[in-house]
Amino acid sequence: MDDMEAAIERAELRAELAALRQEMETLRAELEEMHADADLEACHVAGLTAQLKALIAEGDACPNQAAHPLLARTTYTHARTGEAITKTGAFPLYREAFDAEARRLGIENPEELRA
């Protein structure tokens, strides 16, 4: 390989390295955006959890328990562990929504991932 060929190869390698560095920066930015999205989703989950706890507490405090059938506690079987768990009557709604969203996202066997 003569000097000219070596210089061309070095230039090509430098260009490839520059392109890879740019791609790495693009991927870092995408990853940061995904982290921010996940953080925001976690905030939504925290807010919804607080709302649900408040609604359950309000229903539990109501003297007319018959008016709140979804708040009645029922024993279910944990899908992953097989253990008995006590949840509100609304728990099947959670499972149904979880499974539907998981399937929409291409996750197979969602029952293996949730309670």
Side-chain angles (χ1 to χ4, degrees):
M1 180 181 292
D2 65 13
D3 289 340
M4 182 64 129
E5 289 174 333
I8 292 171
E9 186 175 338
R10 281 193 303 275
E12 289 172 350
L13 289 172
R14 283 189 197 105
E16 184 178 344
L17 181 59
L20 288 171
R21 285 183 174 146
Q22 180 57 47
E23 183 178 354
M24 192 167 67
E25 284 305 311
T26 300
L27 291 172
R28 274 193 184 119
E30 288 176 13
L31 185 59
E32 286 176 17
E33 185 177 327
M34 288 168 40
H35 277 253
D37 289 346
D39 289 347
L40 185 58
E41 291 299 323
C43 293
H44 286 300
V45 168
L48 291 170
T49 299
Q51 284 180 329
L52 288 172
K53 286 180 179 181
L55 291 169
I56 290 169
E58 185 176 273
D60 285 347
C62 179
N64 184 6
Q65 291 296 304
H68 307 283
L70 290 177
L71 296 181
R73 301 316 189 274
T74 305
T75 301
Y76 298 93
T77 302
H78 193 289
R80 287 179 300 169
T81 66
E83 296 174 330
I85 54 175
T86 301
K87 297 289 183 181
T88 66
F91 190 60
L93 298 172
Y94 160 81
R95 284 181 165 174
E96 183 180 314
F98 184 102
D99 291 359
E101 182 66 6
R103 285 189 188 96
R104 187 186 73 75
L105 295 170
I107 298 170
E108 295 181 26
N109 304 315
E111 63 280 354
E112 294 175 2
L113 304 171
R114 57 139 168 88

